[in-house]
Structure formats: structure tokens, C-alpha cells
Amino acid sequence: MAEAVGMLEVYGLATAFAAADAGCKAGNVWLENFDKNKPANADALPVPLIVMIKFRGSVSDVRAALEAAKRKAEELAGVVNVYEISRPTEDTEKMLKLNAFDKGKLHIVEEKELEEN
């Protein structure tokens, strides 16, 4: 069975790192790569970059991580959205591992690649 995933979108990279640190200390979770997005209305936002943090682990650990990370992000630049998936489907798992690498080219990270790094 797939591990739960908790997703937290925050404003700014510094907020993302602080929130990820708080989340990892609160639950037995691991992180996937951050996803970054500069939306069209970036100038109207508190920080012109939205970053998604993805925590993986058991449902209870992911919930604990999300709660701690959300509290930390709210102290800093703020939270855009928070969402938890208890049991991602196989297709959802593929999309969760989709990241922008290699100068804007889409790249699917295989588990084998993760083990090598």
C-alpha cells in the first residue's frame, strides 16, 4: 500500500524550508522535492513564489507533520493550501513524482533513481 502524502503550499522558499523542517520534526516523515510556481498574479502576492511541500509517511505522521508545518508557515509568509491523501492511487503516485528538472523539461523520478541518490 502507498504511503500517505500531505501537501502544503506556502508563499516563498524560505517559508517552505522552515515549514518542512517543522513538519519533519513533528512526524516520522520524509520529503519529496519541492514544486515551485510563479503564478501570473505574482506581483499581487505576499511573496511572488508558491512552493509545495510534500510529506510522505503513515497517515498519523503525515497529519502531525502538516499541522506543525502549517503553524510555522502561518507565522512566516503564509499558507496557500493544505491537503492530505491517505492512500494515493497508482496514477496519483505517478503525478506526485512528476517534477520539473533539466531546465524546464518534465522528468518522472523513478524509485531506482531515488535509491541511487
Side-chain angles (χ1 to χ4, degrees):
M1 178 170 30
E3 293 179 299
V5 60
M7 297 168 282
L8 178 69
E9 284 183 309
V10 300
Y11 293 110
L13 197 53
T15 300
F17 277 104
D21 181 61
C24 287
K25 290 175 179 172
N28 184 22
V29 295
W30 58 277
L31 295 171
E32 291 194 357
N33 290 336
F34 291 168
D35 293 326
K36 297 174 281 301
N37 179 27
K38 182 175 180 181
N41 66 339
D43 293 336
L45 299 175
V47 177
L49 181 68
I50 295 175
V51 182
M52 180 184 287
I53 306 161
K54 292 181 274 188
F55 297 103
R56 300 302 298 260
S58 70
V59 172
S60 59
D61 284 323
V62 165
R63 284 184 183 155
L66 279 175
E67 289 173 18
K70 183 179 175 192
R71 278 194 306 274
K72 178 53 85 175
E74 287 171 340
E75 291 174 12
L76 301 170
V79 172
V80 177
N81 201 355
V82 60
Y83 194 74
E84 173 195 328
I85 303 174
S86 298
R87 293 178 313 185
T89 65
E90 186 177 325
D91 290 336
T92 302
E93 282 289 345
K94 289 176 188 174
M95 295 307 296
L96 288 168
K97 295 188 185 314
L98 194 61
N99 287 294
F101 288 124
D102 304 322
K103 298 181 183 175
K105 296 177 186 171
L106 293 179
H107 177 75
I108 296 181
V109 178
E110 300 292 333
E111 286 189 37
K112 178 180 163 190
E113 291 177 64
L114 293 174
E115 291 171 1
E116 291 173 358
N117 293 329

